[in-house]
Amino acid sequence: MNLDKRDSFVLLSLTSIALFFSVLFYLDLNRKIDIGDREVVGTIFFKNNIVQRKFEDEVIWEKLENNSPLINKDTIRSEAFSDAIIRLKDGTEINIDENSMFNLDLTGEDPNLEFSEGSLQVKKNDSNANQIKITSSGNEINVDSGNVKIERAKDQELSLFVEKGKTTVKQNGKALDVEQGKKAEFKKSGIEIKKIPVVLISPPSQKLFYAEPDEVNVSFTWKMESGYDSPILEISRSPNFKLRFFSEPVPDGKTVVSLKEGTFYWRIKVKNQKSNSIEASETNKLFVSKLESFVGESPNHGMVIPFVQLYPLVTVSWTKLTTANSYLFFLSDNNSFQNPIKRMETSANQISFDDLKEGTYYWKVIAKSSFPDTKDRETKVYSFSIKKQNTIPAPKWQRPNPGAEISLEEIKLNQAILIWEGNAEIQSYHVKIAKDSKLSNVVIDTETKSNFLVPNWNQLGLGQLFVTITGKTKEGKETEPSAILSFTIIDKKKKQEVIVNSEENKNQSSQETKLEILSPNGSVVQMKGKSSLDFHWKLSGITADKFDLVLYQHFPDKKIAIYKTSTKEPHYQLKDLSVLDEGSFSWDLSVYKNGNFVLSRKGNFILALDQLKSLRPTDIEFISPKRLYKEKK
């Protein structure tokens, strides 16, 4: 069929309009939502999996990061196996279980929480005189004080458990008081208030246990009210108890169950002696986690940090705990920490200083637990010294490793780069690359203000090479030359052959969990003409539930987290290039299985637009490639 000009014009116009709005929809779907001038009412901290929020004036759900600000009139929802805590500015805590959703409106004097489904625990700060009103399908719950739990499964009625304090409930204009130790069931025929048949004593909800090394014996105790018998303890991985991990009669009011790492829900079911009906207690939640090592990472204990004229940038770091929500850092000039020089709280696991003078310092860190009734953890005391020197130490190599082989494919992919340890007192570096160990046959002789170099690899050719660096200060004073680094440029790398000699080695190989950062890592990424920054990695040994990716940009005295996301795929495309700038970057990748942290790896790279011509030295100088975070109070 032939179209006349008018029909062709209409068809072309409709196609263009459809394409235009498709692009707009895609951009809106993938854009990063800005908080702007919206009112921040609290902070959300979550331990497992994904929690999302939707602004009042948006239709797109946004993944929340740990310690994200909570905005008034946000709608919050959690995915399977999620667990989160919201801390409002007035001190109220809201614990969110998996598959839960609610909207929080703090406009006016009476804060309102519109609950849709799932399970929530509200701990109201008694010093706050205002009530918290919870509404759900026409029902109303007014929490005056204390702790309450609210449960509502899909297509089921709302249930309220008052653990502490006093609560008023309303339905169809009729108000009733629900006191401590009672529950309210919202039915179509009205509200039924009953005594909770079983009071759960221990473990309390949100309790954390440490598995040493693989499991822990948890003591369960409860008190059964008169008129009930035949108690059964139920333990499940989910709050709806569809898949029960443990279900057995427990007549003595207490028992001990061995649990491995994970999140568990528990309750007691009893039989009503009068009606023979089965009733259940409230549901408590507990966590079992492996006891992670909590130690200082840098500087090494007793390390001497030299300087000549400028006080050095000292970065202190420690291991990160998944069970902590903040860290309290102490720095002192004595090991008793009387009148500490610095006392700072941070959510990062590293902190840097450039104002420490010559002397010996002692430091320690206290990890503040995010779980109630769980002791904070403390590192041992470490020390380091800052000592003035007459000469600046020679530069130290970081990449490539001595004797390394660099293939032409790595060079083509911009994965070949020379990196050495930077020094704030050095203004420039003199690099020599030669074909012999005595550096008599020099191929490249150049200077750079950065602590890395991407040489003209075509100029070097194949074969063994030798390279050395000399630093130069502003005053023109040179350091001693670095150690001579030797590496070889080859055509192709041989594939590694893995020989499995026994069935035991086979099993060990198949069960070992490995995470390999593929790209970008140790390379220069040319962004000119690209529409995305692509991240790739390889995981073997397990199937992960999700990966958490955090992207940092590095500056001379700090590093800043500029982007965070979660994905279930072994790759990610960052399409919001507005968050990027030329310079040096690193990224942390964390693996989660069954809601629990497994392992993490780091990668680093450099972004450029035109072969590094427009890079500023202040943007890309590595003072300490692994640790550049600086926090000021």
Side-chain angles (χ1 to χ4, degrees):
M1 181 179 69
N2 295 325
L3 298 176
D4 59 25
K5 291 185 178 180
R6 181 179 176 183
D7 291 336
S8 300
F9 176 76
V10 171
L11 181 60
L12 181 61
S13 299
L14 291 175
T15 304
S16 301
I17 292 171
L19 182 62
F20 173 74
F21 282 103
S22 297
V23 171
L24 287 181
F25 176 75
Y26 176 82
L27 293 174
D28 187 66
L29 192 66
N30 289 276
R31 69 189 170 94
K32 191 176 180 67
I33 302 174
D34 186 20
I35 290 175
D37 58 356
R38 295 175 171 92
E39 180 188 0
V40 176
V41 297
T43 303
I44 185 164
F45 167 79
F46 59 94
K47 313 176 189 74
N48 294 326
N49 282 5
I50 296 173
V51 179
Q52 298 176 311
R53 69 124 161 260
K54 181 169 69 68
F55 290 131
E56 179 188 22
D57 54 353
E58 298 284 348
V59 296
I60 304 300
W61 289 93
E62 178 189 27
K63 293 179 182 178
L64 284 171
E65 304 301 334
N66 208 354
N67 290 323
S68 294
L70 183 67
I71 311 303
N72 195 27
K73 297 187 179 181
D74 272 355
T75 299
I76 306 295
R77 72 179 181 187
S78 58
E79 293 189 358
F81 302 107
S82 296
D83 177 58
I85 297 177
I86 289 175
R87 294 187 177 97
L88 300 181
K89 285 185 174 180
D90 65 1
T92 300
E93 281 193 2
I94 304 172
N95 292 309
I96 311 168
D97 285 335
E98 64 177 56
N99 298 320
S100 300
M101 186 166 69
F102 69 91
N103 175 272
L104 187 61
D105 184 0
L106 301 185
T107 306
E109 296 182 357
D110 296 325
N112 178 54
L113 189 155
E114 186 177 348
F115 177 65
S116 299
E117 63 179 358
S119 176
L120 298 176
Q121 181 180 17
V122 179
K123 297 181 179 180
K124 184 178 179 297
N125 188 348
D126 294 342
S127 63
N128 186 359
N130 292 337
Q131 290 183 334
I132 293 180
K133 183 169 70 173
I134 303 168
T135 56
S136 180
S137 301
N139 302 306
E140 187 175 310
I141 301 169
N142 293 286
V143 183
D144 294 313
S145 62
N147 304 343
V148 300
K149 279 185 180 178
I150 308 160
E151 298 175 2
R152 182 176 187 176
K154 257 187 177 179
D155 304 323
Q156 292 187 16
E157 302 296 339
L158 181 69
S159 296
L160 166 72
F161 295 85
V162 180
E163 298 178 328
K164 179 183 174 183
K166 184 181 177 182
T167 301
T168 304
V169 296
K170 290 182 181 179
Q171 186 184 63
N172 299 325
K174 184 179 180 181
L176 296 170
D177 292 332
V178 186
E179 298 177 349
Q180 180 175 326
K182 292 188 177 181
K183 69 174 181 178
E185 295 180 352
F186 294 80
K187 299 183 177 181
K188 293 180 180 179
S189 57
I191 301 175
E192 289 187 15
I193 298 178
K194 300 179 181 179
K195 198 168 188 178
I196 299 176
V198 183
V199 178
L200 304 183
I201 299 174
S202 67
S205 197
Q206 306 293 319
K207 177 69 175 176
L208 171 67
F209 294 89
Y210 289 114
E212 300 181 22
D214 298 320
E215 55 187 21
V216 62
N217 291 327
V218 179
S219 297
F220 294 88
T221 59
W222 59 92
K223 182 182 178 182
M224 189 165 54
E225 297 293 333
S226 59
Y228 297 90
D229 59 19
S230 305
I232 296 175
L233 169 63
E234 292 186 341
I235 305 174
S236 176
R237 292 279 189 175
S238 62
N240 56 22
F241 289 84
K242 286 184 178 179
L243 295 174
R244 293 179 181 85
F245 170 80
F246 181 94
S247 180
E248 290 184 12
V250 283
D252 297 331
K254 61 180 180 180
T255 191
V256 176
V257 180
S258 180
L259 299 175
K260 293 185 178 182
E261 191 176 7
T263 300
F264 299 91
Y265 299 84
W266 72 282
R267 68 184 180 187
I268 301 292
K269 276 192 169 183
V270 292
K271 184 174 72 172
N272 189 317
Q273 293 176 346
K274 289 185 178 180
S275 64
N276 286 328
S277 60
I278 302 299
E279 298 183 23
S281 69
E282 60 181 320
T283 300
N284 274 3
K285 179 165 54 177
L286 64 95
F287 307 90
V288 179
S289 174
K290 290 185 178 178
L291 186 62
E292 302 167 285
S293 174
F294 186 46
V295 296
E297 289 185 331
S298 177
N300 294 329
H301 183 55
M303 180 178 178
V304 177
I305 302 173
F307 76 100
V308 177
Q309 291 180 326
L310 298 176
Y311 290 129
L313 176 71
V314 180
T315 301
V316 183
S317 67
W318 53 92
T319 52
K320 193 167 188 175
L321 296 181
T322 57
T323 57
N325 60 5
S326 66
Y327 303 93
L328 197 57
F329 173 81
F330 293 90
L331 183 71
S332 177
D333 56 7
N334 59 79
N335 58 9
S336 62
F337 290 89
Q338 294 180 354
N339 302 317
I341 298 171
K342 296 183 184 292
R343 182 184 184 276
M344 306 174 72
E345 188 166 358
T346 176
S347 58
N349 64 320
Q350 53 189 0
I351 194 167
S352 296
F353 307 97
D354 58 4
D355 57 352
L356 298 181
K357 300 180 180 179
E358 189 173 10
T360 300
Y361 297 90
Y362 301 86
W363 64 279
K364 66 178 182 179
V365 182
I366 297 175
K368 309 290 287 183
S369 177
S370 57
F371 296 86
D373 302 321
T374 303
K375 290 183 179 180
D376 296 337
R377 297 186 60 191
E378 185 173 335
T379 65
K380 69 178 186 179
V381 176
Y382 299 90
S383 70
F384 63 88
S385 298
I386 298 176
K387 190 174 181 179
K388 185 175 177 62
Q389 304 272 334
N390 294 324
T391 58
I392 299 173
K396 293 182 180 179
W397 285 103
Q398 292 186 333
R399 184 183 182 95
N401 294 324
E405 292 182 338
I406 298 175
S407 68
L408 295 180
E409 183 181 5
E410 289 174 308
I411 294 173
K412 184 179 179 181
L413 295 174
N414 287 322
Q415 293 178 353
I417 183 171
L418 307 179
I419 302 177
W420 53 93
E421 189 175 289
N423 189 308
E425 297 191 71
I426 296 178
Q427 187 182 41
S428 63
Y429 299 91
H430 186 190
V431 184
K432 288 183 179 180
I433 305 177
K435 291 282 188 177
D436 63 302
S437 60
K438 294 182 180 180
L439 302 177
S440 58
N441 184 15
V442 176
V443 183
I444 291 181
D445 189 334
T446 186
E447 284 200 10
T448 176
K449 292 185 177 180
S450 307
N451 68 317
F452 67 92
L453 178 69
V454 182
N456 185 346
W457 297 105
N458 294 328
Q459 185 179 346
L460 296 173
L462 299 176
Q464 189 174 16
L465 296 168
F466 302 86
V467 57
T468 186
I469 323 161
T470 303
K472 186 184 290 186
T473 65
K474 290 182 180 178
E475 295 77 21
K477 189 175 181 180
E478 292 189 345
T479 68
E480 290 292 322
S482 69
I484 295 177
L485 173 70
S486 173
F487 60 91
T488 305
I489 301 179
I490 61 175
D491 186 14
K492 290 182 180 180
K493 284 188 176 181
K494 294 181 180 179
K495 293 184 178 180
Q496 294 182 351
E497 295 183 3
V498 180
I499 302 175
V500 181
N501 296 320
S502 66
E503 191 65 31
E504 181 181 352
N505 287 339
K506 276 186 180 179
N507 294 335
Q508 184 178 355
S509 175
S510 63
Q511 292 174 3
E512 187 177 3
T513 301
K514 290 184 179 180
L515 176 62
E516 182 182 357
I517 298 295
L518 299 179
S519 65
N521 188 24
S523 61
V524 178
V525 180
Q526 299 292 337
M527 292 302 295
K528 190 172 184 179
K530 291 188 177 181
S531 60
S532 66
L533 176 60
D534 299 338
F535 297 86
H536 296 272
W537 56 91
K538 183 179 179 181
L539 178 68
S540 58
I542 63 169
T543 302
D545 294 336
K546 69 160 184 170
F547 303 93
D548 281 353
L549 189 155
V550 184
L551 178 63
Y552 298 91
Q553 182 165 8
H554 292 243
F555 299 92
D557 60 348
K558 62 184 176 180
K559 76 174 185 179
I560 299 175
I562 61 171
Y563 191 81
K564 301 177 183 179
T565 190
S566 295
T567 179
K568 296 181 180 179
E569 303 297 331
H571 52 80
Y572 182 76
Q573 279 192 325
L574 173 58
K575 297 181 179 179
D576 183 9
L577 300 185
S578 64
V579 303
L580 301 175
D581 195 2
E582 291 181 302
S584 61
F585 295 80
S586 64
W587 55 294
D588 292 355
L589 186 72
S590 299
V591 180
Y592 289 84
K593 176 70 174 177
N594 296 328
N596 300 309
F597 171 81
V598 178
L599 78 164
S600 64
R601 292 288 182 270
K602 301 176 186 292
N604 59 74
F605 60 96
I606 295 168
L607 282 186
L609 285 177
D610 188 19
Q611 297 296 331
L612 303 177
K613 289 180 182 178
S614 59
L615 284 179
R616 297 164 294 179
T618 55
D619 286 340
I620 57 180
E621 181 183 7
F622 285 100
I623 303 299
S624 174
K626 288 177 68 177
R627 305 174 179 92
L628 283 175
Y629 180 87
K630 180 175 181 182
E631 179 169 307
K632 293 184 178 180
K633 290 286 185 181

